[in-house]
Amino acid sequence: MAQESTPPPVTPPPPPSLEQAPPSPAMVKDKGDLPPAPAPAPAPAPEPADEAESPGAKGKELQGPTLPPPPEGEQKDSRSSSLAAMMGKEESVSSPQPPPEEKTEVTEKSAATKEEVVAVAVADTGKEKQVQEHKVPQTLVSFKEESNLVSDLSGIERKALEELKQLVQEALNTHQFSTAPKKDERQSVIVTQEAQTTQETSKNEASASESDVSTEIKPPAETQESKVEETPEKESQEVAKEEQKAAPSPEEITIWGIPLLKDDRSDVVLLKFLRARDFKVSDAFVMIKNTIQWRRDFKIDELVDEDLGDDLEKVVFMHGYDREGHPVCYNVYGEFQNKELYQKTFSDEEKRLKFLRWRIQFLERSIRKLDFSPSGISTVFQVNDLKNSPGPGKRELRLATKQALLLLQDNYPEFVAKQVFINVPWWYLAFYTMISPFMTQRTKSKFVFAGPSKSAETLFKYVSPEQVPIQYGGLSVDFCDCNPEFTFADPATEITVKPATKQTVEIIIYEKCFIVWELRVVGWEVSYSAEFVPDSKDAYTIIMTKPTKMTPTNEPVVSNSFKVGELGKILLTVDNSTSKKKKLLYRFKINPFSD
């Protein structure tokens, strides 16, 4: 029923993702074109320095360009001396001594080759500097979440999943995830099985020989042959039953409330470990074993039901969903400006451990509410609010953050769809650089950073305004009865108000009704007014709100209602006299009534 005076805003396209520079083809060509050296071979040519890393590499390898260590026996000469050795290799290939003219040509070619390689090295260095500049965390990085449906996986990924399932099944059968049997016990079991097999083989041979003799003497032959065939079948069945009785039943292991290899939800769990290890099956299997052991040592299943208090409920909380349906988790570091809370949480090792247990409990409870079906949503959208966050000088917070980061990355892989940092202060670049080596490249590719002036706009790219809490520029109010008219299900309209312009929202009224609306401009610093204009020419315009200058200190959201007794339209006007564009949000409801 509402008509906007301007078309809906166009959402800015997602920023391009960072790409690692590929290895220089010229360098590879130079290496490959070198002629084979005769025996004994001289010192090998040096490897090209600082090749760009692949996207799946570990974060520890992204600290900056570093030269690889020289191989054994290689002298640490300069590039020029190495190139001289390369030229010496070229000259030593030809057995007959060339005439002086050819020698001059070879020397000239070698010098040219040297200049080309040096030029390529300089070009590569420039590329590396460009890549290093792109790693500044203010750059938005695009990440697309993969599908968990087996039919959507590539052939290599499906093969890796099947291999991992076989390893997990074998581990469950042999109880590798719990206590492995002792070496002496395994040897005794093997010896016993071998003895039983030997006895059974001798019995089978004896029975077969007796049956052969009996068939030659005693008729009928068919009856004797049937007895010979039935005897080994019965014995093999008895042996199989005995082995089943002797073999232990497969153990049952659950991770995040999902039993391994019981249904297709287990595939989603295994895919998380595979993606965390770039689909390297052996590495993913080791990670699973370590996670199961850590969960047992940390007593996760008992921790979920513990009562650790509610002192930190404002520090971490869940609120709403993003545009793709992921639950949104907010981490508010500014709460630790409270000195009492900070001391209570981080002052010593015991308190930091309690904080870590509380954080893991919160995460574990949130994970168990996710949908682990292949077509479901099994990841979380994280928002990290750094406003008023304690600086990097807080050693206790730094230690707790590092410890939690390592623990969560090792034991909770692929649970974050996107990490958005808002209200990022100037000092966070140094802090990010410090913790960056402990994160994988895949993890860092999910990061998005926004300063204080861009925080709300950045959030709206991923989360609808009606899902964003009021304190972060949205319209959502949680755990409050102050606005019962609107919920998450009531969508809001976004409009960008250009600098030095007026924007009017026109709501057409076609019947007698009660209308209620709410409106906000992120950051305000604009004038706002509301009026009702009847369709009748003889009627008067009703001013509901006079033009009022709204500042950031005013209420973030304006709510109003009006009883309409005749047809007309409601005009909500926002006058932006500043030099900055503003984000206008509004929504309304109409409830008809009869006289």
Side-chain angles (χ1 to χ4, degrees):
M1 296 175 65
Q3 295 182 356
E4 301 174 358
S5 59
T6 61
V10 179
T11 304
S17 59
L18 297 183
E19 295 182 357
Q20 298 292 339
S24 174
M27 295 289 286
V28 177
K29 181 179 180 181
D30 290 343
K31 289 174 61 181
D33 291 342
L34 291 179
E47 297 290 335
D50 301 331
E51 292 186 355
E53 185 181 12
S54 62
K58 294 287 181 182
K60 293 183 180 179
E61 300 173 3
L62 296 173
Q63 300 180 28
T66 57
L67 291 174
E72 295 182 2
E74 183 180 358
Q75 298 178 355
K76 298 181 180 179
D77 296 333
S78 64
R79 182 178 295 274
S80 60
S81 62
S82 300
L83 292 172
M86 291 164 56
M87 291 187 289
K89 291 168 78 175
E90 293 178 354
E91 295 176 358
S92 63
V93 172
S94 57
S95 56
Q97 186 174 0
E101 294 180 0
E102 294 180 0
K103 193 172 186 179
T104 305
E105 292 177 2
V106 172
T107 305
E108 292 175 356
K109 290 180 180 180
S110 302
T113 304
K114 177 179 178 180
E115 292 176 358
E116 290 175 1
V117 174
V118 172
V120 170
V122 173
D124 286 348
T125 304
K127 289 181 181 180
E128 288 168 2
K129 289 181 180 179
Q130 291 178 2
V131 172
Q132 198 68 18
E133 291 175 358
H134 281 300
K135 291 180 182 178
V136 177
Q138 281 80 357
T139 305
L140 298 182
V141 182
S142 176
F143 175 80
K144 184 177 180 181
E145 195 171 9
E146 301 92 343
S147 171
N148 288 320
L149 294 172
V150 176
S151 59
D152 294 338
L153 301 178
S154 66
I156 296 176
E157 293 172 344
R158 281 197 298 269
K159 181 180 178 182
L161 178 59
E162 290 302 321
E163 291 178 359
L164 182 58
K165 290 170 72 173
Q166 291 177 4
L167 289 177
V168 171
Q169 186 61 67
E170 182 181 352
L172 292 174
N173 294 339
T174 57
H175 289 232
Q176 293 182 27
F177 293 131
S178 56
T179 304
K182 296 181 180 180
K183 185 176 182 181
D184 296 338
E185 295 177 356
R186 291 199 302 267
Q187 290 179 351
S188 61
V189 170
I190 294 173
V191 171
T192 304
Q193 291 178 350
E194 289 179 353
Q196 291 178 354
T197 305
T198 304
Q199 293 176 1
E200 292 165 0
T201 304
S202 61
K203 288 181 180 179
N204 293 341
E205 291 176 353
S207 59
S209 60
E210 291 176 358
S211 61
D212 292 339
V213 173
S214 60
T215 52
E216 294 177 358
I217 299 174
K218 298 179 181 180
E222 295 180 357
T223 307
Q224 297 297 331
E225 289 178 358
S226 62
K227 290 182 179 180
V228 173
E229 293 176 355
E230 290 177 358
T231 302
E233 291 180 358
K234 290 182 179 180
E235 290 180 353
S236 61
Q237 292 177 359
E238 292 177 358
V239 171
K241 291 180 180 179
E242 291 177 358
E243 290 179 352
Q244 290 179 358
K245 292 180 180 179
S249 58
E251 61 180 334
E252 295 184 1
I253 298 293
T254 62
I255 301 181
W256 311 308
I258 306 300
L260 291 181
L261 303 186
K262 292 295 184 182
D263 50 40
D264 56 2
R265 295 179 302 167
S266 178
D267 292 349
V268 178
V269 173
L270 298 184
L271 282 172
K272 290 182 181 294
F273 288 96
L274 283 170
R275 289 185 174 122
R277 292 297 180 261
D278 299 328
F279 282 89
K280 297 177 182 177
V281 178
S282 58
D283 293 349
F285 181 66
V286 171
M287 187 181 186
I288 291 175
K289 291 182 67 175
N290 294 339
T291 296
I292 292 173
Q293 185 60 47
W294 172 81
R295 293 176 67 84
R296 185 178 292 111
D297 296 340
F298 215 81
K299 299 180 180 179
I300 295 297
D301 293 331
E302 299 177 9
L303 176 64
V304 172
D305 299 325
E306 287 187 25
D307 183 8
L308 299 179
D310 56 359
D311 297 337
L312 301 173
E313 63 179 2
K314 292 184 179 181
V315 176
V316 184
F317 60 90
M318 306 293 294
H319 187 104
Y321 298 86
D322 72 353
R323 295 183 185 272
E324 297 180 355
H326 301 95
V328 183
C329 177
Y330 291 84
N331 301 274
V332 188
Y333 294 97
E335 292 292 328
F336 291 125
Q337 284 286 10
N338 185 325
K339 294 182 178 180
E340 181 179 353
L341 179 62
Y342 185 89
Q343 291 295 326
K344 188 177 180 180
T345 309
F346 303 116
S347 59
D348 55 47
E349 184 65 28
E350 181 179 355
K351 292 177 181 178
R352 288 195 293 270
L353 178 60
K354 183 180 179 181
F355 166 75
L356 187 63
R357 287 173 57 82
W358 179 88
R359 187 65 183 87
I360 292 173
Q361 181 194 66
F362 180 89
L363 178 61
E364 194 76 23
R365 288 177 175 177
S366 302
I367 285 175
R368 299 193 181 205
K369 297 177 182 178
L370 299 175
D371 182 5
F372 278 86
S373 63
S375 58
I377 294 177
S378 59
T379 51
V380 176
F381 187 96
Q382 290 264 16
V383 177
N384 302 279
D385 180 14
L386 301 179
K387 183 178 180 180
N388 298 326
S389 174
K394 297 289 186 180
R395 176 179 175 273
E396 298 84 3
L397 178 60
R398 192 169 67 248
L399 291 175
T401 302
K402 179 180 177 181
Q403 185 180 10
L405 180 64
L406 292 173
L407 200 60
L408 298 181
Q409 184 170 271
D410 289 342
N411 300 286
Y412 293 91
E414 300 300 314
F415 272 106
V416 177
K418 185 74 69 177
Q419 285 266 23
V420 177
F421 294 81
I422 59 176
N423 297 313
V424 178
W426 62 269
W427 54 262
Y428 189 76
L429 174 59
F431 180 71
Y432 174 81
T433 304
M434 181 177 60
I435 65 175
S436 177
F438 301 99
M439 295 180 290
T440 63
Q441 177 63 15
R442 180 179 174 86
T443 298
K444 290 187 288 186
S445 70
K446 303 176 183 179
F447 286 3
V448 176
F449 297 85
S453 62
K454 298 289 186 180
S455 293
E457 181 180 348
T458 302
L459 276 180
F460 294 157
K461 292 180 181 179
Y462 306 101
V463 186
S464 301
E466 64 271 12
Q467 300 278 346
V468 176
I470 283 182
Q471 62 267 35
Y472 295 119
L475 299 173
S476 178
V477 180
D478 199 11
F479 305 113
C480 179
D481 295 330
C482 57
N483 188 17
E485 298 291 340
F486 297 97
T487 64
F488 285 146
D490 300 312
T493 301
E494 304 175 52
I495 297 178
T496 299
V497 184
K498 296 180 180 180
T501 59
K502 285 186 179 182
Q503 180 69 48
T504 300
V505 177
E506 187 177 278
I507 304 174
I508 306 298
I509 306 298
Y510 295 100
E511 57 185 335
K512 297 180 180 180
C513 62
F514 285 107
I515 181 172
V516 58
W517 70 89
E518 62 180 11
L519 176 146
R520 81 171 296 175
V521 175
V522 180
W524 285 116
E525 295 182 347
V526 298
S527 294
Y528 163 73
S529 62
E531 58 186 10
F532 174 72
V533 180
D535 287 345
S536 176
K537 296 181 180 180
D538 299 332
Y540 294 96
T541 298
I542 300 175
I543 299 177
M544 296 176 285
T545 302
K546 295 181 179 180
T548 305
K549 182 70 174 179
M550 306 296 291
T551 65
T553 57
N554 292 108
E555 288 293 327
V557 179
V558 172
S559 299
N560 208 341
S561 60
F562 184 69
K563 182 178 179 180
V564 182
E566 55 183 321
L567 303 184
K569 56 186 177 182
I570 290 179
L571 303 179
L572 308 176
T573 303
V574 172
D575 184 2
N576 179 19
S577 59
T578 68
S579 59
K580 299 178 181 179
K581 63 181 181 180
K582 297 290 183 177
K583 181 69 70 173
L584 166 64
L585 311 173
Y586 74 93
R587 56 183 173 177
F588 63 91
K589 278 185 176 181
I590 294 179
N591 299 314
F593 74 93
S594 56
D595 296 333

